Amino acid sequence: MAAPALQQPSYLLANLKADWTIKPLHQRCNEMSKIIDDFPAKELHAIFPWLVESVFGSLDGILSGWNLRYLQARMAEYNIAVDFLGPSGPMMKLVYKLQAEEYKYEFPVSYLPGPIKSSIQAGVLPDCPLFHNKIQFPMSGLLLLNPFEYYMFNFASSLIAPKPFQNYPPGQHGSCSDSAYFVLVDTYLKYFLPTEGNVPPSPFSDTMGTVASPAPRSPSVPYVGYGGHSTSLLKRHITHQPSVNADPAAQEIWRSETLLQVFVEMWLHHYSLEMYQKLQSPQVKLALLQYRLSMSSMLCQPPAPPGSGTLHTYQEPFMPSEEHVLVVRLLVKHLHAFSSSLKQESIFSSPSTHSHSSPLEELKRVVVQRFVQQKLYVFLQHCFGHWPLDASFRAVLETWLSYIQPWRYTGEKNNTQADGQNRTVPDKWASFVQENLLVYTKLFQGFLNRAMRTDLVNAKSALMVFRVAKVFVQPNLSEMIQKAEQLFLEPEHAILQRQNRVFLTPSHGGSFLSSRQPMGTDSVFKVKSHVYSLEGQDCQYNLMFGPDLRKNVLKLIQIIAQARQTAKRISDHSTEMAANNSFLSWFSVGSSDHNNTFNGGEMDDMGEGVKKTHEFLDKALDYLCQIFRLNAGQLSQLIGNVASVDDEGASKQLPDCIPSENGLLLTDLGRLQIINGLRRFEIEYQGDPELQPIRSYENAFLVRLMFQISSFINARFGDHMEALCSRQDLLGSTGRHYLRSSSKVAEQWRKSPVTRQMRERPQRARLSLRVLASYRTLLILLLLYMLFALLSFSVLSSTGLILIISFLYELLLNFLHEKLKTQ
């Protein structure tokens, strides 16, 4: 009787695989829910890995699964998937059902983030306790995970797994925050890391017994090795993994710890701290630069195989997607809210009462510093240094700004004052600023370097500068940063002379987040420990309010002022073009600007964007002056210097060039100006107006016909037209208005980087009839003929009236133009 029972799971799995591809999602979920309820865990054990892969896709990205990252709220499958995979849904019920029987599942080490994979393959135990007691011996390249861990590893991996383009649902891309995956992450965080109450117990705790934590902690050593402060685990080789007696109190939050560690390790631990510290060495930076230059000059040659003598060891090629960064920001925001929900009596508790706090309260106390800080700092550093200089950097920027503003997620209302000004940062957050000093200062320096290489005329780039300045201008924040820097610079011999030095460590029941230690020495220790643990003992710290960074800020202010001037010119130009495209100018027959390639809607959009740019840059300038205490005189001098340089170069906004026989040639400075967006060539037609391409608002046949007629007239009567234009009376003025004189054409051609032969070519006055090929002109003529037909005018008389009216209209325009010129 046992044989059929052993074969039934395979039979069940075969039936599910056969029906899975032909049935709709809602039917598959309903049937799977019934199977989970009806079948025992022993029979569900075989289908669990297949079900997880069918939902989240394969780890190599070949199978796309349900495409949770592209399921939007407007789709019919959205609610079905979210309900099935929710914390209280059928999928999690299956996880708990298998968890109660202590089944194990294999997860390949090769799909772990690079630093973790390298550590395990080198035989060194990773510092995160999540991987303890899960490595098989002899080394097989597999982790043994319980059902909950296996599910969460696959769920987290689906965010970073490569996705072939053909697997994307066509035409169904939407906002990341509306996707089913994003909503599920938010739901899991709120369920397993609640800001109010406790974690709901497992539904199988009452009937099947308590589900044991796979890697329990000892109550006497809370959270050892969860962060970068413990180095013993980094040196411990995988030779022995002792078992630890389970802590009954830890049963309450083991799922919370597991979920948090999986998310942090899979989403943030793609860049090792050791590698980051190596890259901070000036020698390594120089060697890396030389290596990249040599590689760029040898692109046509086959690459050399990587070895110990090359810098391939410094390359960590993983680059997060914008969606990845937005999910990390969601994690950061929730952890701040989770940590801020710590009870006030627990925050200021004594060591004796701290030992009696609940495991969830203890987790809230250390969650940000121990789990997230180190890996998020290195993650953001890599993004700041490698992310493209475009608007997509906004996701990285907002993740950084969310982390350095934990006071925004305390649940308190009225975070801003009634007058719209930022609320003062409470003094209780000074400890957080000290323990995260580098996240404020060094990343701010990295942002400055990016901002100085960005086109700030773009409204989205200007918005990012404004956002950073608005955050750092919050009252009391800059003072906190300066105080933390002073603590870091305090000499060590002064600390040694102090009395009552008590440094509590996690092994003594303390926490680096605890505020019950001596205030002075503890603050100094926090700052120094934070900086040295992340940057290394030989780091050269650059003060945020020091002279070096102040020079960069002044440079950024000059760039902002220059961008404001450019935005103003674009705004004036767009206003002028909008006026030219007004309703009255539409009836102007004689004026046609062939270089105007923007329609009215595009000019309006450009004008709105420039207005926003000017507004963002104005506020950013004001905020930067407040942060770095620049007085009005210094700001006026900087802006005045930019304005004077801008006035001198107003007539020549081309990139730096040198004249040659074949026109203008770019210099190295000109190339840099184009690359950095400081200068650019005007994209407009500057050749012979008669020979420019046919426009969309022109009739091609009529353009060619009018050109032939104009050429015949110009060849036959060119000398007479030139003599007429040379007269200084009314007839000469009228002739110069209707005929394209040589001076006007030559002036236009001198603006263009043309050859010497073209510049020296003599120009003659000539007639242009191309305006008659415009659909606008044809429509006006048709309306006029219809109007005169209604007034009983013949075709010949209508033609004469139209010519007379056009002549008088153009004569009036010419007279007004001459009057304005004389004034």
Side-chain angles (χ1 to χ4, degrees), residues 171-240:
Q172 296 181 346
H173 298 280
S175 172
C176 169
S177 58
D178 294 334
S179 69
Y181 190 88
F182 193 90
V183 171
L184 284 172
V185 173
D186 186 43
T187 305
Y188 288 154
L189 290 173
K190 291 178 179 178
Y191 185 88
F192 293 106
L193 297 169
T195 56
E196 297 180 0
N198 296 320
V199 182
S202 168
F204 288 88
S205 296
D206 298 331
T207 59
M208 304 296 295
T210 301
V211 180
S213 171
R217 293 178 291 105
S218 172
S220 61
V221 188
Y223 299 103
V224 172
Y226 275 52
H229 299 288
S230 176
T231 58
S232 60
L233 290 176
L234 292 174
K235 304 300 182 182
R236 183 192 308 168
H237 287 264
I238 306 176
T239 56
H240 179 59

Side-chain angles (χ1 to χ4, degrees), residues 384 389 393 397 400 443-457 461-462 464-466 468-469 552-553 555-560 563 617 620 624 676 678:
F384 271 59
L389 292 173
F393 184 73
L397 185 77
W400 171 47
L443 289 181
F444 181 82
Q445 298 171 26
F447 176 76
L448 277 184
N449 295 331
R450 290 185 59 93
M452 289 189 292
R453 294 178 290 138
T454 305
D455 180 16
L456 297 183
V457 181
S461 300
M464 288 190 279
V465 177
F466 162 72
V468 174
N552 290 337
V553 172
K555 290 181 181 178
L556 177 61
I557 290 178
Q558 289 181 323
I559 294 175
I560 291 175
L617 294 181
L624 288 174
N676 296 325
L678 301 178

Side-chain angles (χ1 to χ4, degrees), residues 219 249 252 343 345-346 349-362 365 509 516:
E252 177 186 343
K343 298 178 181 178
E345 56 269 20
S346 299
S349 61
S350 61
S352 59
T353 57
H354 170 61
S355 60
H356 298 291
S357 61
S358 67
L360 188 63
E361 296 296 313
E362 184 185 353
R365 186 191 307 275
R516 60 185 182 278

Side-chain angles (χ1 to χ4, degrees), residues 591-807:
S591 62
S592 60
D593 184 8
H594 296 288
N595 287 327
N596 180 21
T597 58
F598 298 100
N599 56 35
E602 290 173 336
M603 293 306 302
D604 292 341
D605 295 340
M606 181 185 295
E608 288 297 325
V610 171
K611 288 180 181 178
K612 292 181 180 180
T613 298
H614 212 278
E615 178 183 353
F616 292 147
L617 294 181
D618 280 344
K619 292 182 179 180
L621 271 180
D622 183 35
Y623 292 156
L624 288 174
C625 291
Q626 295 181 41
I627 296 169
F628 293 93
R629 298 177 178 86
L630 299 176
N631 55 46
Q634 291 174 306
L635 181 61
S636 300
Q637 182 179 2
L638 290 172
I639 297 179
N641 294 337
V642 173
S644 62
V645 173
D646 188 74
D647 291 339
E648 293 174 0
S651 60
K652 181 186 177 183
Q653 286 301 317
L654 296 177
D656 190 66
C657 302
I658 56 175
S660 68
E661 290 294 331
N662 297 321
L664 299 178
L665 292 180
L666 276 175
T667 62
D668 292 338
L669 175 60
R671 294 187 183 93
L672 289 176
Q673 290 172 341
I674 292 179
I675 292 173
N676 296 325
L678 301 178
R679 298 252 182 117
R680 56 191 170 198
F681 288 103
E682 295 183 4
I683 308 300
E684 61 179 14
Y685 184 82
Q686 294 181 339
D688 187 352
E690 291 298 305
L691 300 179
Q692 63 178 313
I694 299 175
R695 307 292 175 137
S696 60
Y697 52 81
E698 295 176 324
N699 183 278
F701 172 75
L702 290 179
V703 169
R704 297 184 178 96
L705 178 62
M706 294 302 163
F707 177 75
Q708 296 294 333
I709 297 175
S710 300
S711 299
F712 174 78
I713 296 175
N714 292 330
R716 188 70 179 270
F717 304 101
D719 295 337
H720 299 283
M721 291 188 292
E722 188 69 28
L724 177 64
C725 292
S726 62
R727 299 180 58 169
Q728 300 301 321
D729 53 6
L730 179 62
L731 288 177
S733 176
T734 305
R736 285 189 295 271
H737 178 75
Y738 281 100
L739 305 176
R740 298 183 181 272
S741 64
S742 59
S743 60
K744 184 174 181 180
V745 175
E747 179 183 357
Q748 184 179 12
W749 281 17
R750 280 196 297 270
K751 293 168 53 181
S752 178
V754 295
T755 62
R756 177 178 298 180
Q757 291 79 3
M758 294 183 64
R759 289 195 298 267
E760 294 176 351
R761 182 183 303 171
Q763 303 297 327
R764 298 173 57 87
R766 55 185 177 174
L767 177 68
S768 176
L769 300 177
R770 183 163 178 164
V771 67
L772 298 178
S774 171
Y775 290 118
R776 182 184 68 176
T777 304
L778 296 175
L779 178 60
I780 294 176
L781 291 175
L782 177 62
L783 293 177
L784 289 176
Y785 274 112
M786 293 176 60
L787 175 63
F788 289 136
L790 292 176
L791 297 177
S792 301
F793 284 92
S794 64
V795 176
L796 184 61
S797 57
S798 299
T799 304
L801 286 175
I802 291 174
L803 290 176
I804 294 173
I805 293 174
S806 301
F807 177 78

Side-chain angles (χ1 to χ4, degrees), residues 422 468-477 622-624 626-627:
N422 291 330
V468 174
K470 184 179 180 181
V471 168
F472 279 86
V473 81
Q474 294 177 88
N476 204 30
L477 179 58
D622 183 35
Y623 292 156
L624 288 174
Q626 295 181 41
I627 296 169

